């Protein structure tokens, strides 16, 4: 397996993990016991991570 194949697999796994985080976030946001400010903070963190992931993936994939 060459470096490009490894990078592609890492990107795929990272994308799967990001999808899991989004699913968990939806579940957490549906819970009424979570403070709105906390929901907002996590949403901002997820957005920043998603943006960074997209930029990295664009540069790494052929």
């Amino acid at each position: 397996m060459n470096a490009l194949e490894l990078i592609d697999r890492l990107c795929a796994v990272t994308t799967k993990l990001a999808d899991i985080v989004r699913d968990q976030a939806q579940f957490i946001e549906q819970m009424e016991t979570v403070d709105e400010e906390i929901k907002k903070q996590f949403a901002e963190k997820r957005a920043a991570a998603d943006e960074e992931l997209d930029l990295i993936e664009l540069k790494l994939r052929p």
Side-chain angles (χ1 to χ4, degrees), residues 30-44:
Q30 291 172 357
M31 299 183 71
E32 295 177 9
T33 58
V34 180
D35 183 79
E36 289 300 317
E37 185 61 30
I38 293 172
K39 289 180 187 180
K40 181 181 174 187
Q41 290 172 1
F42 279 116
E44 290 170 356

Side-chain angles (χ1 to χ4, degrees), residues 2-47:
N2 65 33
L4 189 58
E5 290 171 325
L6 286 172
I7 290 169
D8 190 54
R9 288 181 67 188
L10 283 170
C11 288
V13 169
T14 304
T15 300
K16 287 179 185 178
L17 289 170
D19 290 342
I20 292 168
V21 169
R22 280 188 215 99
D23 288 345
Q24 288 174 330
Q26 287 177 349
F27 176 76
I28 290 168
E29 287 176 3
Q30 291 172 357
M31 299 183 71
E32 295 177 9
T33 58
V34 180
D35 183 79
E36 289 300 317
E37 185 61 30
I38 293 172
K39 289 180 187 180
K40 181 181 174 187
Q41 290 172 1
F42 279 116
E44 290 170 356
K45 289 178 183 181
R46 283 191 309 275

